[in-house]
Amino acid sequence: MSGVLDHVMMRVEDLDESLEWYTTHLDYEEKGRWEADTFTNVFLGPEDAGEDDALLELTYNHDDRTYEMGDAWGHIAVRVPEDELQSSYDQLMEEGVEDYRDPESNDNRYAFVKDPDGHEIEIVKRDHGAKWSLDHTMIRVEDADDALGFWTRKFEYEHTSRWESDSFANYFMAPQDASEDAMTVELTYNYGGQTYDMGDAWGHLAVRTDDLDEEWETLMEREAEDYRDPESCDNRYAFTKDQDGHEIEIVTDD
C-alpha cells in the first residue's frame, strides 16, 4: 500500500453549519460527497490541495444525535506560513471563531481554535504545503511502546520526530518516503499511566492502499484487529483498530 493517510473523519451535529465554518474560515472546498439513507459524508480540503494531502471527512447522521468528545482523540492541525501565525489567528478572531488558545499563550509557536462541535484545531507554522492543509492528527495513547510498535509493524510507518517534555511525549509517524505535504499521525503519551475515553465525536483515520484484499491479508498476518473486513464493507474499504481502540479505515487510492 502507499500508506499515505487519506483523511480523518469527525462527526458533526449540523452539517450546514460545519460546512459553512470550514469553507468560510479555512477556505476549504467540497472535494466529494456520499449520500446514504441514514448519513452523509462530505470530504473537504484546500482548493490547491496536492495529491498526497489528506482531506477532512465530515459525517452527519440523519437522526439528529449528539456526540461526546472524549479525550482519546486530540486534534487536527492545519498549516499556515511561518510568518503568518498571528495574522491568521487574528483573522479567525475577526471572523468570530472561538478564542481558545492564542499564539502568545503558546510562546508564538502554535495556536488552537475549535469548530462548532468542539473539535480542537491546532494552527502550526510550516514552510510547505497549502495554507490550512492538514499537517497531522493527534491521538492519545496509553502505552507509547505499544503505539509505536503498532504503526511500525502493521503499517510500516517510521518515526519522523519527537518532542519530549516533563509530563508527556509526542511522537510523529509517517509512511516511509512520504512527501512533506502528507499528513502525519501524532501519538501523544502522557506519563503516569493515564486512560482515555474514546467518545464518538471523532471517527477514524484512513490509510490508502492500492490493493485492499492484499493489504487486509497482510494486516491479518501481522495480527491487526479484524474489526470490519472488506467483504462486510462490500469490498470497498475495511476497518481495523489500534491498540487503544482508535478506528483505522483502509481505503483504495483510486
Side-chain angles (χ1 to χ4, degrees):
M1 71 177 170
S2 69
V4 173
L5 286 165
D6 184 80
H7 63 266
V8 56
M9 187 272 267
M10 58 176 62
R11 298 183 179 94
V12 300
E13 296 182 8
D14 186 320
L15 182 59
D16 290 337
E17 181 182 20
S18 294
L19 288 174
E20 182 179 7
W21 195 92
Y22 281 97
T23 56
T24 298
H25 303 305
L26 301 191
D27 296 326
Y28 278 13
E29 65 177 16
E30 187 170 323
K31 302 291 188 179
R33 179 181 290 243
W34 182 22
E35 297 275 4
D37 291 338
T38 59
F39 65 88
T40 301
N41 294 338
V42 181
F43 294 86
L44 301 171
E47 179 181 358
D48 52 352
E51 180 180 349
D52 287 338
D53 283 5
L55 298 179
L56 176 66
E57 178 186 358
L58 302 181
T59 290
Y60 170 65
N61 288 295
H62 300 169
D63 55 5
D64 295 325
R65 71 182 74 176
T66 60
Y67 301 103
E68 295 295 330
M69 196 60 62
D71 57 3
W73 291 81
H75 60 258
I76 55 172
V78 295
R79 305 176 180 121
V80 298
E82 292 277 355
D83 59 350
E84 294 185 19
L85 176 61
Q86 187 65 56
S87 62
S88 297
Y89 193 83
D90 290 343
Q91 176 187 333
L92 295 176
M93 296 302 99
E94 292 171 2
E95 295 170 350
V97 173
E98 180 180 348
D99 182 3
Y100 180 44
R101 294 173 62 189
D102 64 17
E104 185 177 1
S105 68
N106 295 293
D107 298 323
N108 294 303
R109 292 181 293 121
Y110 51 85
F112 278 87
V113 296
K114 290 184 178 181
D115 77 0
D117 292 282
H119 301 97
E120 294 184 14
I121 302 168
E122 183 182 14
I123 306 168
V124 295
K125 298 186 288 186
R126 295 290 185 264
D127 60 3
H128 59 84
K131 185 172 182 178
W132 304 122
S133 59
L134 288 168
D135 184 77
H136 63 267
T137 295
M138 188 272 268
I139 58 178
R140 296 184 178 92
V141 300
E142 297 183 8
D143 186 303
D145 292 334
D146 286 349
L148 290 166
F150 174 90
W151 285 97
T152 300
R153 181 166 183 262
K154 303 298 192 293
F155 289 101
E156 300 176 22
Y157 273 33
E158 60 184 7
H159 176 209
T160 59
S161 63
R162 75 170 67 194
W163 181 29
E164 306 243 8
S165 76
D166 293 338
S167 59
F168 68 91
N170 295 335
Y171 304 92
F172 292 85
M173 307 293 291
Q176 297 178 26
D177 302 319
S179 77
E180 63 180 0
D181 291 344
M183 184 173 73
T184 61
V185 57
E186 176 187 1
L187 309 175
T188 291
Y189 172 63
N190 290 296
Y191 306 152
Q194 294 188 34
T195 59
Y196 302 102
D197 174 16
M198 195 61 62
D200 57 3
W202 293 89
H204 59 258
L205 286 166
V207 177
R208 293 180 196 165
T209 181
D210 55 12
D211 190 320
L212 179 59
D213 290 332
E214 181 180 350
E215 184 53 38
W216 186 253
E217 182 178 347
T218 298
L219 287 171
M220 295 302 98
E221 290 173 352
R222 294 173 180 173
E223 300 176 299
E225 181 174 342
D226 183 357
Y227 179 44
R228 295 173 61 190
D229 65 17
E231 185 176 0
S232 70
C233 301
D234 297 324
N235 294 301
R236 292 181 293 128
Y237 49 85
F239 279 87
T240 187
K241 291 184 178 181
D242 73 2
Q243 72 293 327
D244 290 296
H246 301 96
E247 294 184 16
I248 302 168
E249 183 182 15
I250 318 302
V251 297
T252 54
D253 54 9
D254 53 12

